[in-house]
Amino acid sequence: AQSVAQPEDQVNVAEGNPLTVKCTYSVSGNPYLFWYVQYPNRGLQFLLKYITGDNLVKGSYGFEAEFNKSQTSFHLKKPSALVSDSALYFCAASYKLSFGAGTTVTVRA
Amino acid sequence: DAGITQSPRHKVTETGTPVTLRCHQTENHRYMYWYRQDPGHGLRLIHYSYGVKDTDKGEVSDGYSVSRSKTEDFLLTLESATSSQTSVYFCAISESGTDYEQYFGPGTRLTVT
């Protein structure tokens, strides 16, 4: 079974609207969780990670993620999306270095 | 950007030929990784290294071998390429352990005909 799941292949939002990219995990213990972003024809870039402590993690480019242990989720959020946020987003867990399948985000002007 | 380069960036090869991809880092990070990226699968770990001459298998290691003779170089070899190994290959590094964030190279697009 996949350790990290991203239930949405695509997310479409209008510029200025809130953006949420969903991620759930199914690993035991207390894994470290990560978000990465991939722009076209580029390698992945690290956005943020959750280790322990505060459930709201702030990262690069105005992104944040909320860790919810009871729901085993680690959703990525941005209060006001930009057209330049259009990219492929990956959630990952330190357990077996598992990556989700990715979510393509399109922000329309 | 982290100092990671991959070579070649693009390669087309025929089924049955050996292929070696190179990852070079200038960050002196201990851990290095090879992934493949395929539509619908995200990234899947092939092999990783936790030090010079120390390597371990990942989720999709069959048909691949690796070597690390120097801290800065991590080689991925396809002994006899197959069409199922057509993919984009990414190298990544992390400072210390799998609990740390990874920094990725630009990728190598490999086509096996």
Side-chain angles (χ1 to χ4, degrees):
Chain A
Q2 198 169 16
S3 302
V4 177
Q6 294 180 240
E8 299 165 317
D9 292 336
Q10 291 194 344
V11 170
N12 298 303
V13 298
E15 189 173 35
N17 281 3
L19 170 63
T20 298
V21 187
K22 297 179 181 178
C23 172
T24 60
Y25 64 94
S26 57
V27 300
S28 59
N30 299 304
Y32 291 8
L33 298 167
F34 305 84
W35 276 102
Y36 293 88
V37 60
Q38 184 180 31
Y39 298 101
N41 301 312
R42 300 282 298 276
L44 279 69
Q45 297 178 29
F46 168 74
L47 277 178
L48 52 79
K49 73 176 179 182
Y50 173 81
I51 302 175
T52 186
D54 194 348
N55 290 341
L56 187 63
V57 180
K58 294 189 182 297
S60 306
Y61 312 121
F63 284 95
E64 56 190 28
E66 185 172 9
F67 174 73
N68 187 317
K69 189 170 184 177
S70 63
Q71 296 185 3
T72 62
S73 67
F74 187 55
H75 299 334
L76 181 69
K77 300 181 180 182
K78 187 171 184 180
S80 178
L82 302 172
V83 171
S84 57
D85 293 328
S86 298
L88 182 57
Y89 291 80
F90 290 99
C91 181
S94 56
Y95 177 74
K96 294 188 177 180
L97 293 168
S98 302
F99 279 76
T103 299
T104 299
V105 171
T106 301
V107 182
R108 61 186 184 277
Chain B
D1 290 346
I4 310 169
T5 56
Q6 292 184 232
S7 58
R9 293 292 313 278
H10 302 272
K11 186 170 182 65
V12 179
T13 192
E14 293 185 349
T15 298
T17 61
V19 176
T20 295
L21 308 183
R22 179 180 183 241
C23 177
H24 179 79
Q25 61 145 329
T26 57
E27 305 296 322
N28 200 36
H29 282 3
R30 182 180 169 195
Y31 280 67
M32 299 185 74
Y33 312 82
W34 277 108
Y35 292 91
R36 58 179 290 173
Q37 182 177 21
D38 304 289
H41 290 280
L43 270 74
R44 292 180 291 175
L45 182 66
I46 304 171
H47 283 278
Y48 71 99
S49 169
Y50 48 95
V52 173
K53 298 186 178 178
D54 292 323
T55 65
D56 205 351
K57 296 179 179 180
E59 176 188 358
V60 291
S61 60
D62 288 348
Y64 302 95
S65 62
V66 290
S67 66
R68 191 169 178 200
S69 59
K70 298 185 291 184
T71 298
E72 57 266 34
D73 290 326
F74 192 32
L75 304 181
L76 176 70
T77 297
L78 291 65
E79 301 291 347
S80 178
T82 68
S83 58
S84 64
Q85 294 176 312
T86 292
S87 186
V88 180
Y89 291 85
F90 286 100
C91 173
I93 64 174
S94 66
E95 186 172 350
S96 179
T98 59
D99 291 341
Y100 287 74
E101 58 268 30
Q102 297 177 51
Y103 298 93
F104 287 78
T108 294
R109 184 174 296 276
L110 176 67
T111 302
V112 184
T113 61

